[in-house]
Amino acid sequence: KQEVTQIPAALSVPEGENLVLNCSFTDSAIYNLQWFRQDPGKGLTSLLLIQSSQREQTSGRLNASLDKSSGRSTLYIAASQPGDSATYLCAVRSATDSWGKLQFGAGTQVVVTP
Amino acid sequence: EAEVAQSPRYKITEKSQAVAFWCDPISGHATLYWYRQILGQGPELLVQFQDESVVDDSQLPKDRFSAERLKGVDSTLKIQPAELGDSAMYLCASSLSGEQPQHFGDGTRLSIL
């Protein structure tokens, strides 16, 4: 069974620092990996989706890398801002799943202090 | 604002009562998902629909939970009877197909007293 782990569970950085969030998964047979943002009491907003054949994906200040063989993905957020404060979750879709089921990590709660 | 509509946003009810959640997906999205998210954890899939058919309900506690999507559009998730351990955020998501990105609603926060 696929297990997804995110470490650390919480992170606090001063504004302007770069953020590095880690995600690991136990089964390398994945279809894709997705990073989400969740604000308190809200649903999930998709940030980046990396297909299994890709090594990285970029959007603005966000960059996500994928190393399928080692079961790791990293989300980099450059020049953090207080508005980046949220919980960040990664989710993996298994290559053997026909219907698109996502397996989520527990998330990393990020606080960016002014 | 999320494009997947869910109601109610908050629900407080007592143990043993019945509770229902409603979800209206993005127009044209054939695939609909219900997730449960316990505080401090990631969402866990409860049930997945492709049009009006259930394609995965392996994690749905079928003795007390039921879900339907009668016309392949909006969906209802019901709990009867509710238990204290059901307190959680219930999220609905939809996608064009199982291979496309999922779009989430803002969820229903359920508190069981």
Side-chain angles (χ1 to χ4, degrees):
Chain A
K1 179 189 171 185
Q2 177 76 269
E3 294 198 2
V4 182
T5 304
Q6 292 185 248
I7 295 173
L11 184 61
S12 180
V13 298
E15 182 177 5
E17 269 199 18
N18 296 332
L19 281 164
V20 180
L21 307 178
N22 298 303
C23 173
S24 61
F25 46 95
T26 55
D27 186 350
S28 62
I30 67 170
Y31 185 80
N32 59 38
L33 183 144
Q34 203 164 353
W35 282 94
F36 292 88
R37 169 185 172 138
Q38 186 174 31
D39 293 296
K42 296 287 190 177
L44 279 66
T45 300
S46 180
L47 298 174
L48 291 168
L49 185 150
I50 312 177
Q51 301 293 349
S52 63
S53 59
Q54 297 177 310
R55 296 284 292 184
E56 67 178 327
Q57 193 68 251
T58 298
S59 176
R61 294 185 295 112
L62 277 60
N63 174 277
S65 66
L66 174 64
D67 185 341
K68 202 172 60 167
S69 60
S70 67
R72 292 182 182 178
S73 177
T74 303
L75 177 67
Y76 301 90
I77 302 177
S80 62
Q81 304 168 359
D84 294 328
S85 299
T87 297
Y88 293 83
L89 299 105
C90 68
V92 169
R93 180 187 167 188
S94 171
T96 58
D97 184 85
S98 303
W99 300 105
K101 177 179 178 178
L102 294 178
Q103 191 72 35
F104 283 86
T108 295
Q109 185 176 15
V110 171
V111 174
V112 180
T113 55
Chain B
E1 186 177 359
E3 297 172 329
V4 174
Q6 288 189 248
S7 66
R9 287 296 316 280
Y10 305 93
K11 181 71 176 180
I12 301 174
T13 192
E14 294 184 343
K15 187 175 64 170
S16 303
Q17 296 299 304
V19 61
F21 316 124
W22 177 79
C23 172
D24 191 12
I26 294 172
S27 179
H29 280 197
T31 311
L32 186 145
Y33 311 79
W34 282 103
Y35 290 89
R36 176 172 59 186
Q37 185 177 25
I38 296 170
L39 194 63
Q41 299 183 17
E44 176 190 35
L45 181 70
L46 291 175
V47 61
Q48 179 178 346
F49 290 91
Q50 182 67 28
D51 298 309
E52 67 275 9
S53 301
V54 173
V55 297
D56 187 344
D57 63 356
S58 56
Q59 300 303 310
L60 187 72
K62 299 181 187 64
D63 56 335
R64 298 185 300 108
F65 285 65
S66 64
E68 60 183 15
R69 193 185 184 199
L70 292 176
K71 297 182 179 179
V73 181
D74 58 338
S75 176
T76 302
L77 178 69
K78 297 178 181 177
I79 309 174
Q80 183 173 18
E83 297 181 353
L84 293 175
D86 296 332
S87 294
M89 174 78 87
Y90 290 82
L91 294 163
C92 179
S94 70
S95 63
L96 282 169
S97 70
E99 297 184 350
Q100 298 298 314
Q102 297 177 27
H103 300 261
F104 283 77
D106 281 339
T108 296
R109 169 71 68 187
L110 175 66
S111 297
I112 305 298
L113 303 177

